[in-house]
Amino acid sequence: MKIGRCPAIGPVLLHIVAMLCPAFAWAAVPKLELQLELDPGTRRLEAVALLAPSARDFSFDLHEALTVRSASVGGKRLELAADASDGPVRRWRVALPPQAGTLRLEYGGTLPALKRSLGERGVLGALPPMAAPEGSFLPSGGAWYPQPAARFTYKVNLSVPAGQRALVAGRLLSEHVPADDTERYRASFEFLHSADGIDLMAGPWLVREQSLARANGKPVRLRTYFTRELDASAGLADAYLDDMRRYIELYSAQIGAYPFTEFSVVAGPLPTGFGMPTLTYLGAGVLKLPFIRATSLGHEVLHNWWGNGVYVDYASGNWCEGLTTFMADYAYKERESDEAARQMRLGWLRDFAALPPAGQQPLAAFRSRTHGASAALGYGKSAMVFVMLRDTIGSAAFERGLRAFWSRHRFTTASWDDLRRAFEQSSGQPLTAFFAQWLNRTDAPAVKIAAARATQQGGTAALALDLEQGSAPYALRLPLEIVRDGHSETRWIDSRRAHEVVTLAVEGAPQGVRLDPGLRVWRLLERSQLPPILRQWIVAAAPRLMIASSSAEVREAASALALRLFETAPRTVGPGELDREGGPLLLAGLHADVDAVLATAGLPPSPPSLAAFEGSAKVWTIARAGAAPLAVVSGADANALRALLRPLPHYGARSWLVFDGSRMLAGGVWPGSVPLIPVQDR
């Protein structure tokens, strides 16, 4: 059906008409058309941009490597002005004539070289547009195109040499694959939903494709853009294509139909993990790892609903990372086993407990992951909020709320308040207080059972619990395990005051109680439940480094490792500070030297549990009363320490690890337990 011009509408009907009248929704958003020719070998980019600015005095940013050669409207050249560079970005200005039509900008230049040394933390920051034969990445925030507005639609025509492939997020309109090196690869993409940026990727990829049929609508195009090495790995591309299909079908059933026409997995040369509409851009070095397909891929597919299908109102906080973590990573653990899900919840709580006070920001302040502290809140705490919400309103109401939220806010911007309203409607419960305390407070409840007493009344007992929180209590709904005669049952209790007594009628004679043994409530755990994990060192505000070895080569390797591990540069200290209180301390060096330092301090050598594994390096943590927590990195030689530069920061949730080179052989968390509070007769 052809849809003509939509009549004038009031703001109340704007959202409804945008959904019912696609032509209106498309026309209401500025459009950008790009014609791009990229040569990764020379790093040259030549571009033509066509757009209709909303203001006569139009200004836009471009990376300093790019120069605008001409600006014109209807073939008439316009004057350009360029400000002095502000860092790597220059502001350009052009004055348009009255009632101007389409503005044509011709620009180009030599892009910066690919930063091959970037680690995971490096790619989380602002990246410039980068090019190289092994892979080019022009990020949306890299100022490589003139952005017409905060949100816009686009069409991009790409041209790269024959041995390369290139793409942007969106629907593939056309593609020309060259028959030989005399031709260029060409592809055209469009994105008709409102976008806030364009990411461009190119590389020497081999492309494989499958089609996913849908009952209503066109099939979904599934693709892998893999390096020759990855594509040659037997069955790997097909396994990714099959898993894409499985995840899209899973979330379509849970939320609503997949909102785009394709999904691709693109191998990048950097240690990336970016999710964009219609694709995910992942580091080629991790794509063979089983957990990527088992967890990370599903997480990125789900972002096509949350974040790319419903946009985030960042002014009020980023809800989508927590919801995606809950519905993907955490849901996979729930399907695995109750214990696996509990271990993930325990990891979130341990990560939070490891944060220094300065890192304990309100969840509403989270915008994006830039370091470990922000991840502990924006992913861990946020996901736990959804665990507690589902426990509060029930699974059926929770699922109805998700579908309603998607239906109401598809391709529009939504906030935490919009989520709250969807769940209030689906459950019939007021949730303002629930969301307010978990989003706006920086602390966490420290609730405990101070005493438990029981009075027998025939075959039943009146169980009285003295509950304590703190001076600023939370409104909590807490699971309580009641143990008697080798059996247990779970009851839910409410706690709203700093000190209160909760009384329950229970069968038989209770012998002990455990508060929240499954760790289903966001809270500060007791010390017995908090064995040290490496996250405490990674996010420490004032970390310290002690190097046990005197060799210059080893000291250099240990210093480099500490700089990579810590998010704040550590202060190097001598042996005299080993027993002093202060920030977390990292002891690093060769095996014999580390053992000598530990022996002098009266501390044991590496734990026996690590001795079962032969490797080049061992890492373990030690909790000490009256002294700073200690982490130890003990290596066979300087190369063993250098081999940990890339992998070690990824294991913040572990208490101990054994490596052979850069490969982890084993790792774990020192055990903790939820205390059993004995019930006293009264």
Side-chain angles (χ1 to χ4, degrees), residues 452-455 461-465 480-482 501-506 510 512-513 679-680 682:
R453 304 175 303 279
T455 302
L463 175 62
L465 306 172
L480 176 75
E481 181 186 16
I482 303 170
V501 177
V502 175
T503 302
L504 302 172
V506 299
V513 291
V679 176
Q680 307 295 328
R682 81 176 170 180

Side-chain angles (χ1 to χ4, degrees), residues 18 73 76 118 125 136 150 170 213 232 236 259 279 305 362 504 516 537 565 587:
V73 171
K76 182 179 180 181
L118 281 174
S136 302
L236 185 65
L279 65 92
W305 282 267
L504 302 172
D516 187 23
W537 285 261
L565 179 67
L587 172 64

Side-chain angles (χ1 to χ4, degrees), residues 191 194 260 275-279 300 303-311 411:
F191 195 80
S194 150
F260 299 108
M276 305 153 193
T278 74
L279 65 92
E300 299 304 340
H303 266 312
N304 283 272
W305 282 267
W306 309 136
N308 296 323
V310 178
Y311 313 134
F411 293 118

Side-chain angles (χ1 to χ4, degrees), residues 254-255 306 310 397-410 418 421-423 425-426:
Q254 290 183 359
I255 304 168
W306 309 136
V310 178
F398 186 88
E399 292 166 6
R400 289 195 303 271
L402 284 178
R403 289 192 290 271
F405 178 69
W406 167 250
S407 177
R408 188 172 302 137
H409 298 287
R410 186 172 179 266
D418 293 316
R421 284 187 282 267
F423 288 117
Q425 182 179 8
S426 68

